[in-house]
Tab-separated table of all heavy atoms in Angstrom:
chain	number	residue	atom	x	y	z
A	891	TYR	N	-58.912	23.491	45.304
A	891	TYR	CA	-59.227	24.272	44.112
A	891	TYR	C	-59.540	23.312	42.974
A	891	TYR	O	-59.303	22.107	43.066
A	891	TYR	CB	-58.061	25.203	43.732
A	891	TYR	CG	-56.710	24.553	43.773
A	891	TYR	CD1	-56.233	23.812	42.692
A	891	TYR	CD2	-55.895	24.654	44.899
A	891	TYR	CE1	-54.999	23.198	42.719
A	891	TYR	CE2	-54.654	24.053	44.935
A	891	TYR	CZ	-54.209	23.333	43.846
A	891	TYR	OH	-52.981	22.716	43.889
A	892	ASP	N	-60.094	23.830	41.891
A	892	ASP	CA	-60.462	23.005	40.743
A	892	ASP	C	-59.231	22.629	39.932
A	892	ASP	O	-58.325	23.448	39.742
A	892	ASP	CB	-61.443	23.743	39.836
A	892	ASP	CG	-62.811	23.908	40.463
A	892	ASP	OD1	-63.160	23.091	41.335
A	892	ASP	OD2	-63.530	24.843	40.076
A	893	VAL	N	-59.230	21.387	39.457
A	893	VAL	CA	-58.193	20.899	38.557
A	893	VAL	C	-58.916	20.206	37.404
A	893	VAL	O	-59.766	19.344	37.631
A	893	VAL	CB	-57.237	19.922	39.265
A	893	VAL	CG1	-56.171	19.424	38.303
A	893	VAL	CG2	-56.600	20.562	40.496
A	894	ASP	N	-58.595	20.597	36.192
A	894	ASP	CA	-59.220	20.022	35.005
A	894	ASP	C	-58.189	19.292	34.167
A	894	ASP	O	-57.012	19.670	34.140
A	894	ASP	CB	-59.859	21.114	34.139
A	894	ASP	CG	-60.973	21.852	34.846
A	894	ASP	OD1	-61.728	21.192	35.593
A	894	ASP	OD2	-61.093	23.075	34.656
A	895	LEU	N	-58.643	18.255	33.462
A	895	LEU	CA	-57.837	17.570	32.466
A	895	LEU	C	-58.480	17.818	31.120
A	895	LEU	O	-59.700	17.679	30.971
A	895	LEU	CB	-57.766	16.072	32.749
A	895	LEU	CG	-56.983	15.666	33.984
A	895	LEU	CD1	-57.064	14.156	34.197
A	895	LEU	CD2	-55.526	16.104	33.878
A	896	ILE	N	-57.665	18.175	30.127
A	896	ILE	CA	-58.174	18.529	28.811
A	896	ILE	C	-57.488	17.658	27.765
A	896	ILE	O	-56.261	17.605	27.691
A	896	ILE	CB	-57.935	20.016	28.511
A	896	ILE	CG1	-58.646	20.842	29.579
A	896	ILE	CG2	-58.405	20.373	27.111
A	896	ILE	CD1	-58.159	22.231	29.709
A	897	SER	N	-58.313	16.970	26.992
A	897	SER	CA	-57.822	16.118	25.906
A	897	SER	C	-58.636	16.454	24.673
A	897	SER	O	-59.841	16.174	24.614
A	897	SER	CB	-57.975	14.643	26.274
A	897	SER	OG	-57.549	13.807	25.226
A	898	GLY	N	-57.993	17.092	23.711
A	898	GLY	CA	-58.728	17.537	22.526
A	898	GLY	C	-59.754	18.576	22.910
A	898	GLY	O	-59.443	19.558	23.563
A	899	ARG	N	-61.006	18.314	22.572
A	899	ARG	CA	-62.066	19.270	22.918
A	899	ARG	C	-62.818	18.876	24.184
A	899	ARG	O	-63.815	19.499	24.536
A	899	ARG	CB	-63.031	19.443	21.756
A	899	ARG	CG	-63.744	18.191	21.360
A	899	ARG	CD	-64.554	18.428	20.078
A	899	ARG	NE	-65.322	17.240	19.761
A	899	ARG	CZ	-66.633	17.204	19.733
A	899	ARG	NH1	-67.332	18.270	19.985
A	899	ARG	NH2	-67.254	16.085	19.441
A	900	TYR	N	-62.352	17.848	24.877
A	900	TYR	CA	-63.003	17.382	26.099
A	900	TYR	C	-62.246	17.858	27.340
A	900	TYR	O	-61.025	17.787	27.386
A	900	TYR	CB	-63.088	15.853	26.116
A	900	TYR	CG	-63.901	15.304	24.985
A	900	TYR	CD1	-63.287	14.774	23.861
A	900	TYR	CD2	-65.291	15.332	25.017
A	900	TYR	CE1	-64.036	14.280	22.799
A	900	TYR	CE2	-66.044	14.855	23.963
A	900	TYR	CZ	-65.411	14.321	22.855
A	900	TYR	OH	-66.149	13.853	21.816
A	901	ALA	N	-62.993	18.314	28.327
A	901	ALA	CA	-62.428	18.712	29.614
A	901	ALA	C	-63.208	18.003	30.705
A	901	ALA	O	-64.444	17.957	30.665
A	901	ALA	CB	-62.513	20.220	29.800
A	902	VAL	N	-62.479	17.416	31.659
A	902	VAL	CA	-63.128	16.719	32.774
A	902	VAL	C	-62.501	17.171	34.084
A	902	VAL	O	-61.361	17.649	34.127
A	902	VAL	CB	-63.021	15.177	32.646
A	902	VAL	CG1	-63.700	14.681	31.391
A	902	VAL	CG2	-61.592	14.713	32.710
A	903	ASP	N	-63.252	17.003	35.144
A	903	ASP	CA	-62.774	17.264	36.498
A	903	ASP	C	-61.718	16.222	36.837
A	903	ASP	O	-61.979	15.020	36.777
A	903	ASP	CB	-63.957	17.181	37.461
A	903	ASP	CG	-63.594	17.499	38.894
A	903	ASP	OD1	-62.402	17.629	39.214
A	903	ASP	OD2	-64.529	17.603	39.714
A	904	ALA	N	-60.517	16.649	37.188
A	904	ALA	CA	-59.426	15.719	37.482
A	904	ALA	C	-59.648	14.944	38.778
A	904	ALA	O	-58.912	14.005	39.061
A	904	ALA	CB	-58.098	16.478	37.548
A	905	LYS	N	-60.662	15.311	39.549
A	905	LYS	CA	-60.995	14.576	40.776
A	905	LYS	C	-61.967	13.437	40.497
A	905	LYS	O	-62.315	12.683	41.391
A	905	LYS	CB	-61.587	15.534	41.809
A	905	LYS	CG	-60.601	16.614	42.241
A	905	LYS	CD	-61.221	17.611	43.186
A	905	LYS	CE	-60.234	18.732	43.476
A	905	LYS	NZ	-60.797	19.747	44.368
A	906	SER	N	-62.406	13.301	39.245
A	906	SER	CA	-63.383	12.291	38.855
A	906	SER	C	-62.698	11.133	38.129
A	906	SER	O	-62.255	11.280	36.987
A	906	SER	CB	-64.441	12.906	37.933
A	906	SER	OG	-65.213	11.896	37.322
A	907	ILE	N	-62.626	9.998	38.789
A	907	ILE	CA	-61.983	8.833	38.178
A	907	ILE	C	-62.739	8.396	36.929
A	907	ILE	O	-62.129	8.033	35.913
A	907	ILE	CB	-61.824	7.690	39.205
A	907	ILE	CG1	-60.784	6.681	38.724
A	907	ILE	CG2	-63.127	7.019	39.531
A	907	ILE	CD1	-60.269	5.758	39.816
A	908	MET	N	-64.062	8.465	36.951
A	908	MET	CA	-64.853	8.101	35.775
A	908	MET	C	-64.631	9.096	34.636
A	908	MET	O	-64.544	8.699	33.472
A	908	MET	CB	-66.340	8.018	36.127
A	908	MET	CG	-66.679	6.895	37.083
A	908	MET	SD	-66.260	5.271	36.438
A	908	MET	CE	-67.510	5.100	35.189
A	909	GLY	N	-64.522	10.366	34.974
A	909	GLY	CA	-64.241	11.371	33.955
A	909	GLY	C	-62.900	11.129	33.284
A	909	GLY	O	-62.775	11.225	32.061
A	910	ILE	N	-61.895	10.797	34.072
A	910	ILE	CA	-60.563	10.546	33.517
A	910	ILE	C	-60.594	9.353	32.575
A	910	ILE	O	-59.996	9.380	31.493
A	910	ILE	CB	-59.534	10.349	34.644
A	910	ILE	CG1	-59.335	11.663	35.402
A	910	ILE	CG2	-58.203	9.840	34.080
A	910	ILE	CD1	-58.482	11.546	36.646
A	911	PHE	N	-61.312	8.296	32.955
A	911	PHE	CA	-61.366	7.114	32.097
A	911	PHE	C	-62.160	7.367	30.804
A	911	PHE	O	-62.097	6.561	29.888
A	911	PHE	CB	-61.920	5.909	32.852
A	911	PHE	CG	-60.894	5.253	33.727
A	911	PHE	CD1	-61.108	5.126	35.081
A	911	PHE	CD2	-59.705	4.763	33.196
A	911	PHE	CE1	-60.164	4.520	35.898
A	911	PHE	CE2	-58.751	4.156	34.000
A	911	PHE	CZ	-58.981	4.036	35.350
A	912	SER	N	-62.859	8.483	30.712
A	912	SER	CA	-63.562	8.812	29.475
A	912	SER	C	-62.628	9.478	28.456
A	912	SER	O	-63.004	9.668	27.310
A	912	SER	CB	-64.758	9.721	29.756
A	912	SER	OG	-64.334	11.024	30.095
A	913	LEU	N	-61.411	9.839	28.898
A	913	LEU	CA	-60.441	10.484	28.013
A	913	LEU	C	-59.566	9.445	27.317
A	913	LEU	O	-59.475	8.296	27.750
A	913	LEU	CB	-59.547	11.428	28.832
A	913	LEU	CG	-60.239	12.572	29.552
A	913	LEU	CD1	-59.225	13.332	30.394
A	913	LEU	CD2	-60.925	13.501	28.567
A	914	ASP	N	-58.891	9.870	26.267
A	914	ASP	CA	-57.917	9.027	25.573
A	914	ASP	C	-56.625	9.060	26.381
A	914	ASP	O	-55.866	10.032	26.316
A	914	ASP	CB	-57.685	9.550	24.155
A	914	ASP	CG	-56.673	8.733	23.379
A	914	ASP	OD1	-56.161	7.720	23.914
A	914	ASP	OD2	-56.396	9.091	22.222
A	915	LEU	N	-56.363	7.995	27.137
A	915	LEU	CA	-55.189	7.951	28.013
A	915	LEU	C	-53.946	7.427	27.310
A	915	LEU	O	-52.908	7.249	27.949
A	915	LEU	CB	-55.501	7.095	29.248
A	915	LEU	CG	-56.660	7.600	30.109
A	915	LEU	CD1	-56.896	6.665	31.285
A	915	LEU	CD2	-56.407	9.013	30.593
Side-chain angles (χ1 to χ4, degrees):
Y891 45 84
D892 290 335
V893 180
D894 297 322
L895 291 176
I896 301 160
S897 178
R899 61 187 184 117
Y900 298 101
V902 299
D903 183 351
K905 297 176 185 179
S906 167
I907 198 163
M908 294 300 288
I910 293 172
F911 280 122
S912 72
L913 299 176
D914 179 2
L915 300 179

